Amino acid sequence: MKKTLIATAFLALGAQAQLAHADLTVAIAGPMTGQYASAGDQIRRGAEMAITDINAKGGVLGQKLKLEVGDDACDPKQAVSVANTMVNKKVVFMHGHWCSSSTIPASEVYVEADIPMATVSTNPQVTERGLKNIFRIMGRDDQQGLVAGGYIADKFKGKKVAVLDDKSAYGKGLADEMAKAMTAKGLKPTLRESITAGEKDYSGIVTKLKQAGVEVLAYGGYHTEVALILRQAQQAGLKLTVMGGDTMTNSELVTAAGANADNVMFTFSPDPRKNPDAAPVVKRFRDAKVEPEGYVMYAYAAMQLFAEAAPQAKSTKFADLEKAMRGGTFKTVIGDLSFDAKGDQKKPGFVVYQWKGGQYDYAAK
């Protein structure tokens, strides 16, 4: 009987020890397949490198991080399905989703399950619904639209400018903000139109732009459609300068648009690759043959946010994490992160970039 009790006690202690050292499951979600899969790949590469680095330093609260990857293909229904899967996998932190139209419905699932999330989705409604679990690590469309629209009004005064969107939550929101900022500075859009993303022929809108004498296109949407519009505009003898948003960071734009990509400008946060504090991480990515462009460093920063917040909270419980993330300042590869009551960054920033020769850099002021 005594031997049985001792054996049982050892088994219980062993189970407790195993539980104490179990992995913490964190997750990312975004378009891992579909026409925006290159953005999903950037997110995955950034998160994987961060987790490797965090685990090499001992993990978080003595536990190693394990990554789950969800593919929503930028489809809202699929995003909800991914979110429910992540809840069932008991993730303690989510970085996602990417498309605002996916992030908004998925966040309703995560908040019900008390899962904190970092996101780069820029539609204002992401943080305007009073959800306590969302922390946006990039600015908002009403901020980048103000910068983009203001730049257009200043640099292209007297030019004919069309405003176009792809009907998505992100695209329409950004286009509306650009139009508003332009108009406030005295430059009224010549045309305000919408297209359907994913189509192969945009000759109809190109014809409209040409007939109206448009020289500058303010576009709310994703890089895939911009590349196609530029190619078809060239075929029609129409030279366009395009101003877009943060999704234009994708180098697939250059592959698809060719030399026409040099006519694309866009707004994005200050380039984290130029942050001296991030230099060692940038080098590790490049040594691994990964260019840390676009959303790579943001995914890395999201995992840093969790890895710093949990020790401050001394817990991975939602109430403790939420309090720590709401009240702290966290050093990351994209700079210091701190959040207001809505979950927006306290010090967001957008600058204007331009593609040239296959690379993007700050545009002339």
Side-chain angles (χ1 to χ4, degrees):
M1 179 68 175
K2 190 180 285 186
K3 285 181 181 178
T4 303
L5 287 171
I6 291 169
T8 303
F10 271 117
L11 282 170
L13 284 170
Q16 287 177 357
Q18 196 172 23
L19 187 63
H21 293 286
D23 292 337
L24 290 172
T25 304
V26 296
I28 57 171
M32 303 300 159
T33 60
Q35 63 177 334
Y36 308 128
S38 53
D41 186 60
Q42 289 178 354
I43 293 165
R44 180 181 57 79
R45 288 175 182 273
E48 286 176 347
M49 180 73 83
I51 287 172
T52 297
D53 290 349
I54 291 164
N55 284 344
K57 294 175 183 175
V60 174
L61 298 175
Q63 295 172 274
K64 296 295 178 75
L65 299 186
K66 175 189 171 187
L67 182 66
E68 289 287 343
V69 179
D71 176 20
D72 66 18
C74 274
D75 176 78
K77 289 182 181 177
Q78 195 165 320
V80 170
S81 176
V82 166
N84 282 308
T85 298
M86 294 305 175
V87 170
N88 292 334
K89 289 182 184 245
K90 302 190 185 309
V91 304
V92 295
F93 178 76
M94 161 60 70
H95 173 48
H97 293 218
W98 186 66
C99 289
S100 294
S101 54
S102 290
T103 298
I104 291 170
S107 63
E108 302 283 353
V109 177
Y110 297 125
V111 74
E112 285 294 321
D114 283 343
I115 297 170
M117 56 186 293
T119 186
V120 294
S121 294
T122 51
N123 187 282
Q125 284 303 307
V126 169
T127 51
E128 288 291 341
R129 295 164 297 142
L131 273 60
K132 61 186 178 180
N133 68 321
I134 291 182
F135 298 88
R136 190 187 335 237
I137 61 174
M138 188 175 282
R140 300 160 44 125
D141 288 334
D142 47 2
Q143 294 160 343
Q144 72 171 328
L146 184 66
V147 172
Y151 188 96
I152 291 170
D154 291 339
K155 292 291 182 181
F156 300 103
K157 196 174 293 182
K159 303 279 188 183
K160 289 189 175 182
V161 182
V163 178
L164 184 67
D165 71 72
D166 67 352
K167 302 178 187 174
S168 70
Y170 163 71
K172 186 176 186 309
L174 176 58
D176 286 346
E177 294 297 338
M178 286 194 284
K180 190 191 302 181
M182 284 167 48
T183 303
K185 282 200 161 192
L187 182 59
K188 187 178 179 182
T190 302
L191 287 176
R192 178 69 178 92
E193 298 283 343
S194 297
I195 60 169
T196 300
E199 293 186 348
K200 301 301 180 189
D201 183 6
Y202 293 112
S203 59
I205 192 65
V206 167
T207 299
K208 268 191 179 182
L209 296 175
K210 187 175 182 180
Q211 288 174 345
V214 169
E215 298 166 89
V216 181
L217 178 64
Y219 183 71
Y222 299 88
H223 67 278
T224 44
E225 285 69 38
V226 165
L228 195 50
I229 289 168
L230 282 171
R231 289 207 313 271
Q232 293 178 358
Q234 182 185 35
Q235 290 164 5
L238 174 63
K239 185 175 180 181
L240 282 176
T241 296
V242 177
M243 173 67 82
D246 53 289
T247 58
M248 298 299 139
T249 57
N250 200 304
S251 57
E252 277 194 355
L253 174 67
V254 178
T255 305
N260 290 310
D262 286 357
N263 298 325
V264 177
M265 310 176 86
F266 61 91
T267 46
F268 196 49
S269 301
D271 193 342
R273 294 175 297 182
K274 297 179 185 290
N275 175 7
D277 293 338
V281 175
V282 171
K283 184 179 185 303
R284 279 202 296 283
F285 275 116
R286 287 174 173 163
D287 287 348
K289 309 299 182 193
V290 175
E291 181 55 36
E293 63 184 355
Y295 302 94
V296 174
M297 298 286 271
Y298 287 84
Y300 191 103
M303 294 304 157
Q304 284 182 304
L305 172 63
F306 172 73
E308 291 185 36
Q312 287 188 27
K314 299 182 175 61
S315 167
T316 58
K317 290 181 180 177
F318 175 70
D320 300 326
L321 272 176
E322 192 261 344
K323 184 178 178 182
M325 291 169 74
R326 192 79 59 195
T329 298
F330 306 93
K331 291 194 174 299
T332 76
V333 291
I334 61 171
D336 289 355
L337 293 176
S338 58
F339 304 95
D340 64 17
K342 293 178 181 179
D344 285 318
Q345 271 199 73
K346 286 183 178 176
K347 294 181 179 179
F350 283 101
V351 293
V352 177
Y353 293 81
Q354 183 163 9
W355 281 99
K356 284 291 179 190
Q359 304 288 329
Y360 63 78
D361 206 343
Y362 298 135
K365 292 185 178 179

